[in-house]
């Protein structure tokens, strides 16, 4: 079951997640990332970023 949703983007060696408490900063650690309650909220946050980031909503189960 999905416990939250993250905003992520791809990079050559994996994924990066939108960092909490920063306008546009990225982290490799999912526990430091901003967690959203719904896919809708995360998608909205991803779409508000500049298009060069190509971010998307990613459901998170807490196992990663």
């Amino acid at each position: 079951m999905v416990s939250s949703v993250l905003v992520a983007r791809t990079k050559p060696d994996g994924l990066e997640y939108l960092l909490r408490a920063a306008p546009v900063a990225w982290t490799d650690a999912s526990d430091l990332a901003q967690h959203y309650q719904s896919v809708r909220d995360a998608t909205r946050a991803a779409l508000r970023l500049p298009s060069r980031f190509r971010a998307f909503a990613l459901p998170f189960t807490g196992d990663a």
Side-chain angles (χ1 to χ4, degrees):
M1 182 171 171
V2 174
S3 60
S4 64
V5 184
L6 306 174
V7 173
R9 70 177 181 170
T10 58
K11 62 180 193 168
D13 59 339
L15 293 174
E16 286 184 316
Y17 309 102
L18 187 64
L19 189 61
R20 71 177 87 120
V24 180
W26 301 92
T27 181
D28 293 332
S30 60
D31 58 333
L32 298 176
Q34 176 68 46
H35 291 253
Y36 296 90
Q37 295 297 320
S38 69
V39 173
R40 180 181 180 189
D41 292 339
T43 300
R44 184 178 297 154
L47 291 174
R48 288 183 177 166
L49 295 170
S51 62
R52 70 179 181 270
F53 292 124
R54 295 185 184 184
F56 55 91
L58 179 70
F60 180 72
T61 61
D63 297 338

